[in-house]
Amino acid sequence: MQHYLSINDIDSLPKWVEEARDLKNNPLESKSLGKNKTIGLLFFNNSLRTRLSTQKAAMNLGMEVIVMNFGNEGWALEYEDGTIMNQGTSEHIKEAAQVVSQYCDIIGIRAFASLKDKEKDEAEVVLNGFKKFASVPIVNLESSVGHPLQALTDAITLAENSTKVKPKVVLSWAPHPKALPHAVANSFVEMMQRQNADFVITHPKGYELGTAITNSSKIEYDQDKALENADFVYVKNWSSYADYGKVLNQDQGWMITKEKLGNAKFMHCLPVRRNVVVEDAVLDSEQSLVIDQANNRTYAAQVVLKKLLENLK
Ligand code: CP
């Protein structure tokens, strides 16, 4: 594996999950692998889990870590070729990516969708710009289209908590006051398509994810029906894809309650808005796996960095 940009970079999901679980049992087993290697984490957007868990993973592997909040502190980057840079951008991705590559052996990039221009977002200009002009491996820390570290984490958490060979897993949209990207939901769907599971997506009409992502995954518009006999309920808000980036409704009837959850386990990538997306009674119950998910972020990142480091040797 040269880069970790999407779920498609995982050659065997079951093997990676097993490896991550082994690392969780013995996080320092490869402490010498990253000696004298540096990872640079560039954040164009906010983060708690991704930033800290990826640092922790790198430290477990013996790496040095450099973090930069690029959105606030870096020069505004230009991505277009041949632009006359007499407007707001100060530095071209061609120089920036090559410069960072001199300081780092691996580069992680977080750059969310703008939710204004679908074509531009789907071109992944930041992630692909670094991929094109950097000379070191790139890790996607959540891009416009995907959050593959989160999806690998979710596969680990499902494996740890599943008691059935073929569990029923429901991805449910939930209300949110702000327009949120599709990245987490997209990668979760792509990951679930590689699982032996009865997988159902539920959302109000108008919130269909891109068909290139959902393919033949089952969509049920009746949330109650979708949730029947669920073993896991993964909840996430996303904005409309068809009416790109728009909040079409904030129907509180879609919030996940204890009653709706039934006996299922609750999953969410965090951060989560209490009593908007999900009620307190769910998050504060033993059915909630959100803290376990956040913990597994470290081991998902660690398995990815370990494979990239092994490839550097
Ligand atoms: N789940 C997740 O990516 O969390 P952060 O946005 O806090 O990194």
Side-chain angles (χ1 to χ4, degrees):
M1 179 183 59
Q2 215 184 336
H3 305 282
Y4 186 66
L5 303 177
S6 84
I7 279 289
N8 295 328
D9 291 315
I10 299 176
D11 53 9
S12 166
L13 185 58
K15 282 192 186 149
W16 284 41
V17 167
E18 196 184 319
E19 209 172 316
R21 293 177 76 179
D22 288 345
L23 286 169
K24 190 172 180 178
N25 287 330
N26 191 2
L28 302 180
E29 72 174 17
S30 301
K31 182 82 182 169
S32 58
L33 185 65
K35 194 169 173 231
N36 300 328
K37 301 282 187 226
T38 301
I39 185 167
L41 304 176
L42 308 185
F43 285 87
F44 291 80
N45 305 94
N46 296 346
S47 171
L48 188 160
R49 280 143 291 273
T50 305
R51 178 170 172 158
L52 297 184
S53 64
T54 311
Q55 286 191 58
K56 177 77 178 166
M59 285 152 55
N60 284 346
L61 292 165
M63 299 185 82
E64 299 293 332
V65 185
I66 299 172
V67 184
M68 183 165 176
N69 292 321
F70 222 94
N72 298 329
E73 296 161 16
W75 300 112
L77 294 185
E78 177 60 51
Y79 298 94
E80 296 283 333
D81 213 10
T83 315
I84 297 168
M85 288 172 56
N86 60 0
Q87 298 293 315
T89 54
S90 306
E91 176 157 26
H92 203 279
I93 183 68
K94 287 183 185 180
E95 283 78 47
Q98 290 182 74
V99 168
V100 179
S101 299
Q102 296 178 117
Y103 310 145
C104 303
D105 301 282
I106 298 174
I107 302 173
I109 310 281
R110 166 164 282 201
F112 290 172
S114 68
L115 295 179
K116 290 184 176 81
D117 183 335
K118 185 190 275 189
E119 208 178 315
K120 214 168 174 181
D121 284 346
E122 297 201 329
E124 298 272 35
V125 289
V126 183
L127 193 70
N128 284 332
F130 275 94
K131 183 189 163 200
K132 186 169 178 187
F133 296 111
S135 53
V136 299
I138 303 296
V139 177
N140 182 349
L141 305 177
E142 187 173 343
S143 65
S144 296
V145 176
H147 196 353
L149 283 177
Q150 183 65 52
L152 178 57
T153 298
D154 298 332
I156 299 164
T157 312
L158 284 170
E160 285 178 336
N161 290 279
S162 212
T163 54
K164 293 182 182 169
V165 177
K166 191 176 179 184
K168 180 172 180 184
V169 181
V170 180
L171 170 64
S172 180
W173 179 93
H176 196 284
K178 289 173 71 176
L180 297 189
H182 310 94
V184 170
N186 284 347
S187 291
F188 186 76
V189 171
E190 291 180 311
M191 182 276 289
M192 285 310 304
Q193 288 165 349
R194 288 160 174 75
Q195 297 274 10
N196 183 27
D198 174 10
F199 178 54
V200 184
I201 306 169
T202 185
H203 53 72
K205 286 204 167 138
Y207 278 101
E208 292 78 9
L209 294 164
T211 50
I213 299 290
T214 52
N215 288 309
S216 57
S217 289
K218 187 174 168 192
I219 298 170
E220 170 57 66
Y221 293 105
D222 182 334
Q223 190 193 38
D224 290 337
K225 204 165 160 196
L227 294 177
E228 275 171 17
N229 302 317
D231 296 299
F232 295 91
V233 179
Y234 196 100
V235 179
K236 185 73 188 81
N237 171 272
W238 59 88
S239 54
S240 175
Y241 180 75
D243 196 356
Y244 193 64
K246 296 285 183 310
V247 176
L248 303 181
N249 81 51
Q250 296 186 35
D251 183 355
Q252 279 306 113
W254 279 77
M255 180 177 78
I256 296 296
T257 62
K258 199 92 192 315
E259 195 185 342
K260 282 186 188 181
L261 190 65
N263 295 319
K265 299 281 189 192
F266 174 81
M267 296 177 75
H268 190 285
C269 62
L270 301 180
V272 68
R273 291 195 182 219
R274 283 176 171 255
N275 304 309
V276 175
V277 171
V278 54
E279 68 176 3
D280 283 342
V282 172
L283 282 171
D284 296 335
S285 78
E286 296 208 339
Q287 287 167 258
S288 173
L289 299 179
V290 298
I291 305 302
D292 300 304
Q293 282 175 268
N295 187 28
N296 285 336
R297 288 296 307 270
T298 299
Y299 308 105
Q302 198 167 332
V303 79
V304 168
L305 298 183
K306 183 167 177 272
K307 285 178 186 295
L308 291 173
L309 285 170
E310 284 165 349
N311 213 29
L312 287 181
K313 294 204 154 202

